[in-house]
Amino acid sequence: MVLLDGKKTSQEIKEELKIKVNQLLAEGKKVPHLAAVLVGDNGASITYVNAKVKACEYVGFDSTLIKLPADISEDDLIKKIDQLNNNDDIDGYIVQLPLPEHIDELKVTMAISPSKDVDGFHPENLGKMVLNLPCFLPATPYGIVQLLERYKIETSGKHCVVLGRSHIVGSPMSILMARKHPYGNCTVTLTHSRTKNLKEITKSADIIIAALGKTEFLTADMVKEGVVVIDVGITRVKDETKKSGFKLLGDVKFDEVSQKASYITPVPGGVGPMTIASLMVNTFKAVEMK
Ligand code: L34
């Protein structure tokens, strides 16, 4: 079994970006500038956004963190987004999800200028992705593709089973794995809560991407020998023995599935850091596409 080390791979990607940023500086050009909008005080969101700001500092990007109160109105949030759209200094920005209940995430996503949508969540970018046109790819799915690529995992002609159909992971992932691309060309099965005979399907999978948000859902009896497993799940579970008071669990029962897998991502240290590295790649691209 080979561990797909997202931490190490994301570090490699960040090193490469650092070199490209230094080249921009040497040419007297402006460095990429990413803004992140954080609404409310969801503990996980704070951790992820802080990690994004830190990654910007590491690669040499400018960053701006915009913290807004949980009770901000949808209108006021959209006004903030308009300001970011019109601020020429900002090359790309994200609005960290989830948003508070009273705010319509789709409405907010659609207010983001597609040319600054480094999360790749805007319908224009998602549509371009489907058509294989240049666009921002959603950070988590893109991070997974980069992980497969850097470990040279053969995907062509393989059966890839995606668990979960979310807008930000499962659905775009299924499209990326099926597209005509060196790290695509899979036969994809997208499964969800209404799927019948799930175990039969996962047992025939060469590659499984678990993104359903149910802790330790994928067990050893559901997979075949030699399977490649990508665990997107990251749930905080109470654990008094930890200083933080919680531990992180993925959607895969790692201890048993890793016994049968040829490659597998850990949680933490797998997909999470790759999401951040991909956001950095997209932000660099935002400048190049200008
Ligand atoms: N707009 N919302 C927007 N864009 C995104 O790309 C995200 N996502 C997801 C949630 N909401 C979003 C993230 O940033 C998930 N996500 C994310 C990013 C980073 C990490 C996990 C999820 C990460 O760095 N995880 C670390 C552990 C961090 C910890 O200690 O909690 C890891 O090693 O997996």
Side-chain angles (χ1 to χ4, degrees):
M1 181 272 289
V2 174
L3 203 63
L4 294 168
D5 189 339
K7 207 168 165 186
K8 182 174 135 242
T9 309
S10 70
Q11 188 63 28
E12 286 166 15
I13 293 170
K14 285 187 284 185
E15 296 301 342
E16 291 163 17
L17 281 173
K18 215 172 176 172
I19 293 169
K20 289 169 104 179
V21 170
N22 282 330
Q23 280 166 355
L24 287 180
L25 285 171
E27 292 162 16
K29 291 185 182 145
K30 170 185 155 344
V31 299
H33 187 169
L34 174 72
V37 179
L38 176 63
V39 182
D41 50 11
N42 176 306
S45 294
I46 293 170
T47 302
Y48 305 156
V49 169
N50 284 340
K52 291 172 185 182
V53 170
K54 228 175 101 190
C56 282
E57 283 166 9
Y58 187 82
V59 300
F61 292 177
D62 284 333
S63 65
T64 299
L65 174 55
I66 299 157
K67 285 188 192 165
L68 300 170
D71 62 357
I72 189 172
S73 70
E74 194 177 88
D75 279 351
D76 285 348
L77 177 57
I78 291 190
K79 269 184 208 141
K80 199 81 216 170
I81 287 174
D82 281 336
Q83 285 172 12
L84 290 167
N85 288 340
N86 295 317
N87 182 345
D88 284 340
D89 195 53
I90 305 277
D91 301 298
Y93 68 94
I94 64 155
V95 179
Q96 188 71 18
L97 302 179
L99 290 170
E101 290 275 339
H102 67 280
I103 296 174
D104 181 346
E105 285 185 356
L106 186 60
K107 207 165 155 190
V108 170
T109 303
M110 289 181 62
I112 299 173
S113 163
S115 66
K116 294 191 179 188
D117 169 39
V118 284
D119 258 334
F121 292 170
H122 189 282
E124 186 175 314
N125 281 311
L126 289 172
K128 284 180 171 171
M129 176 188 74
V130 173
L131 297 173
N132 234 336
L133 295 170
C135 64
F136 296 115
L137 296 177
T140 300
Y142 185 27
I144 293 168
V145 172
Q146 292 193 82
L147 199 55
L148 295 170
E149 184 170 345
R150 291 195 181 231
Y151 278 84
K152 298 192 168 61
I153 293 173
E154 174 79 46
T155 59
S156 189
K158 303 287 185 193
H159 183 203
C160 175
V161 173
V162 180
L163 305 176
R165 56 179 159 187
S166 73
H167 294 328
I168 72 171
V169 187
S171 296
M173 199 66 235
S174 67
I175 290 161
L176 289 180
M177 295 309 289
R179 75 185 163 152
K180 201 176 247 181
H181 184 272
Y183 290 89
N185 287 324
C186 283
T187 303
V188 176
T189 305
L190 180 58
T191 70
H192 45 77
S193 53
R194 305 294 162 88
T195 297
K196 289 183 179 141
N197 306 325
L198 181 65
K199 191 170 160 182
E200 252 169 58
I201 298 169
T202 54
K203 277 209 106 153
S204 81
D206 303 304
I207 301 168
I208 298 178
I209 297 168
L212 71 169
K214 284 193 180 165
T215 57
E216 302 188 315
F217 178 85
L218 191 77
T219 47
D221 58 313
M222 295 171 77
V223 307
K224 72 177 180 193
E225 206 64 52
V227 65
V228 175
V229 179
I230 308 290
D231 190 350
V232 185
I234 183 155
T235 307
R236 292 180 165 201
V237 179
K238 228 185 202 161
D239 184 346
E240 315 276 282
T241 68
K242 299 264 162 143
K243 211 168 78 190
S244 59
F246 63 84
K247 63 178 171 184
L248 297 171
L249 283 184
D251 291 350
V252 177
K253 205 159 194 176
F254 183 88
D255 289 348
E256 52 178 72
V257 174
S258 59
Q259 309 271 325
K260 289 173 96 175
S262 56
Y263 294 89
I264 187 166
T265 60
V267 174
V271 173
M274 290 305 295
T275 297
I276 293 177
S278 298
L279 176 65
M280 299 300 120
V281 172
N282 279 348
T283 304
F284 196 91
K285 225 187 251 173
V287 175
E288 287 179 319
M289 277 164 37
K290 259 190 181 169

